[in-house]
Every structure is written in structure tokens, then in C-alpha cells.
Amino acid sequence: MPDASTTLPPLKVLLATPRGFCAGVDRAIQIVERAIEKYGAPVYVRHEIVHNRHVVDRLKALGAVFVEELDECPVDRPVVFSAHGVPKAVPAEAKARQMLYLDATCPLVSKVHVEAQRHYDAGREIVLIGHAGHPEVVGTMGQLPEGSVALIETVEDARAFTPKNAANIAFVTQTTLSVDDTAGVVAALRERFPTIAAPHKDDICYATTNRQEAVKTIAAKSDVVLVIGSANSSNSVRLVEVAKREGVTRAHLIDDATKLDLGWITGAATVGVTAGASAPEVLVQGVIDRLAETYAVEVVEVDAARETVSFKLPRVLAG
Ligand code: 10E
Ligand code: SF4
């Protein structure tokens, strides 16, 4: 009897590397898991620990309770702050209520908080490049008194921004922005304010940069690009945009294999697959397995960068 796979149409899958979990996401998830082990359930988590439905559902099943605000947590249970960071008022309130809290803010987001504070202490007016309403933006703006950080999102915003003192301003950025879009916004700021104090380039993290580079590489050779990630995951949404900008009109963000519409693949010879920084690898494999039900899939890993970053757990949970 002939092997069934020999009768399936061929499909090349270009698997982007790096993809999926970054060091900050890995650490944040471990903080919740270890907190449940150490303190028992329930452990409260303020905001989705990372923006992924599967991660949140798995942690819920282990005993995590997700809330949006601290006043939804009882004072006698531990609470974890999400990887995106929180305004200063949040740990202050937890202290005032004598709560046990664990801060899962990614160290690379905390670095931006420190940078913003440093500019503020030096008397500079601060411009934050980021997306309005995103929790990381809320957290970074919330490091400083209201009115001391101006949010801009676009080149147009950069052109329209009117500082109080153009000679004494600084910018910081969200960590998960589009590298290419941000370069445009920064250029517009520098053109108008040549002395603006700045990070070396921007505050976009290594993981965001590498995943965008990797998706560019696969997009150049793909007819369709599938990005695994949840709709509220900013960095995952950016990966779809990057693929589209590389000319792949069929680029889709999907939570998992069940959301894959096989109609998208019709006529394609090559499908690029990647995952946002908060999407578990098992979901990537699930998508490939689903494709393999209909096609004779050949998987080719495409390496765009090597990652070696890892972050330590808070001392109270380490060991
Ligand atoms: O929406 P985002 O991309 O910021 O978050 P995410 O939870 O999908 O991925 C992790 C990124 C973080 C925590 C922001 N630096
Ligand atoms: Fe940290 Fe970057 Fe991951 Fe955000 S995307 S959690 S900044 S490593």
C-alpha cells in the first residue's frame, strides 16, 4: 500500500528562528508557577501575566486568578504584577495594604523605567514613543508624575509635538514597537530637536528586534505567513505587519491550529511560520501538525539570530 503522505501535495514550511518565548516572558510565567508552588493557590495576577490566551488559561488551571486592578485582590494572598510593568502607584498601594507582591516586570521594561526616571531627575521633559492604552505604556508613564511624560505614536505626532523647552527633552520607547516605524518617528524627533537625549537607538528589546528580523527573512520567501499569538499581543501584531510590509498579503495572526483557515494556504508553495514573544512553542508544533494533515510538509528552520539572554527569578522564588 502506498504511503498516504506520497499522495499529499507538497508544502514547504519556513520556520523562523528566533520565535516564541523571550527571556522576560519565560521569567514572568515561572514567577507565577513558583509562587503557586510556594504559597499555594490562589495566587492573584494583576493583568494577564503575558498577552497569550493559552498561557493565561494554563496558569488559571494551576490556581492563578487574573484581575485588572489591585483592589480586586484579597490582602492575604500573594499578587504578581504582569511582565508589562506597572505604574509606581501599584506597588505603593500593595505596600500600604501590606500585601505580598511579586513583580514580574521584564528587566528590559524596568530598564526603560529607570531611564525615564533619570531624565526626569535631570529636569528633562520626556517623550514616550508607544501605543496609547497599552499596559507597558501605562506602566512607563506611571513611573513619573502626571504630565511629565508626553506620549507620541506616529511621525505626525512627532512633527506636531510642542515641548515646553525644546532644548531640554528626552525620549524613551515601548519595548515591542516596529523597528522600522520607530526609526521614522525617532528621525522626525531628531530633525526637530537635534539635542534630544536618547537611548543608543531606541528601547526596542533584543527579542522584538530579532523576531522582526526573522519574520522578514521568512516573508521574503513565503506565499503565506502565519504568526502564532493572541490578538492583544502587541509584538505579535507587529510581526504580521512586518510580513505584510515585505509583500506577503496573506499574513495572519492566529491563536492556535484551530484558528487556521486552510483556504489561506490554497495555491501556496511555501508557508512561513513564526510566533510572538508570548506564544508557547507547543502551539507552533500544533499548526505544523495541522498543515501536515493536508500537505506533505517539509520543515526548514531559518536562523536569523542566536539568543542567549536569560533573567534571574526574584530571590524569594529562586533556588
Ligand atoms: O503586548 P506585548 O507584546 O507588549 O506583550 P506580550 O505579553 O504579548 O509579550 C511580552 C512582552 C512584554 C511583556 C512587553 N515588553
Ligand atoms: Fe522583555 Fe522584550 Fe520579552 Fe518584553 S518582549 S518581556 S521587553 S524580552
Side-chain angles (χ1 to χ4, degrees):
M1 214 169 99
D3 178 352
S5 68
T6 58
T7 62
L8 299 177
L11 185 72
K12 191 185 255 189
V13 169
L14 297 182
L15 196 49
T17 303
R19 63 180 177 280
F21 281 8
C22 59
V25 163
D26 199 47
R27 173 179 180 270
I29 293 170
Q30 278 195 58
I31 289 175
V32 179
E33 290 169 350
R34 296 261 185 124
I36 295 169
E37 271 166 41
K38 183 169 168 133
Y39 304 108
V43 163
Y44 285 73
V45 185
R46 185 190 175 281
H47 191 68
E48 291 191 348
I49 187 73
V50 297
H51 292 150
N52 186 271
R53 199 171 61 72
H54 285 269
V55 169
V56 167
D57 287 349
R58 190 180 72 82
L59 293 174
K60 267 187 197 166
L62 292 178
V65 175
F66 290 88
V67 295
E68 278 310 308
E69 293 302 338
L70 210 54
D71 60 15
E72 299 168 59
C73 309
V75 290
D76 60 349
R77 294 307 306 161
V79 58
V80 180
F81 303 148
S82 87
H84 316 92
V86 287
K88 265 194 181 151
V90 174
E93 188 192 332
K95 265 187 207 147
R97 292 176 69 198
Q98 298 185 314
M99 296 172 77
L100 170 62
Y101 68 86
L102 296 152
D103 190 355
T105 303
C106 175
L108 297 180
V109 174
S110 301
K111 183 171 148 260
V112 181
H113 293 179
V114 170
E115 226 174 274
Q117 182 73 55
R118 190 169 49 79
H119 290 309
Y120 180 76
D121 293 344
R124 298 184 186 113
E125 192 175 340
I126 299 157
V127 180
L128 168 64
I129 307 172
H131 297 293
H134 187 282
E136 183 180 323
V137 162
V138 174
T140 300
M141 294 184 84
Q143 298 306 301
L144 297 168
E146 223 176 308
S148 43
V149 182
L151 178 67
I152 66 167
E153 302 191 62
T154 60
V155 169
E156 291 68 41
D157 292 347
R159 292 204 180 112
F161 173 60
T162 330
K164 290 179 201 88
N165 177 2
N168 200 22
I169 61 172
F171 79 80
V172 295
T173 79
Q174 195 176 337
T175 57
T176 52
L177 300 178
S178 151
V179 171
D180 295 337
D181 286 350
T182 306
V185 178
V186 168
L189 282 175
R190 284 193 196 281
E191 196 185 307
R192 291 188 57 213
F193 314 112
T195 62
I196 191 166
H200 173 60
K201 191 164 141 266
D202 50 49
D203 297 302
I204 299 172
C205 76
Y206 80 97
T208 300
T209 308
N210 290 345
R211 279 152 193 68
Q212 288 178 18
E213 201 48 49
V215 81
K216 259 188 203 175
T217 311
I218 57 164
K221 302 172 196 143
S222 300
D223 306 303
V224 178
V225 167
L226 302 173
V227 177
I228 324 297
S230 290
N232 61 340
S233 169
S234 194
N235 78 86
S236 306
V237 173
R238 300 288 86 76
L239 294 178
V240 175
E241 284 172 7
V242 170
K244 285 193 173 157
R245 223 173 272 178
E246 286 303 296
V248 181
T249 48
R250 286 187 277 173
H252 302 276
L253 179 66
I254 50 171
D255 250 310
D256 55 40
T258 65
K259 302 291 185 307
L260 170 62
D261 178 346
L262 288 172
W264 298 334
I265 316 295
T266 308
T270 306
V271 175
V273 175
T274 188
S278 47
E281 179 63 15
V282 64
L283 303 177
V284 174
Q285 201 47 58
V287 167
I288 295 171
D289 290 348
R290 173 105 198 276
L291 289 170
E293 288 167 11
T294 309
Y295 296 94
V297 165
E298 180 204 356
V299 178
V300 180
E301 288 241 13
V302 179
D303 276 6
R306 192 165 289 271
E307 290 183 347
T308 53
V309 181
S310 69
F311 296 125
K312 286 203 186 96
L313 291 174
R315 214 171 311 141
V316 64
L317 296 177

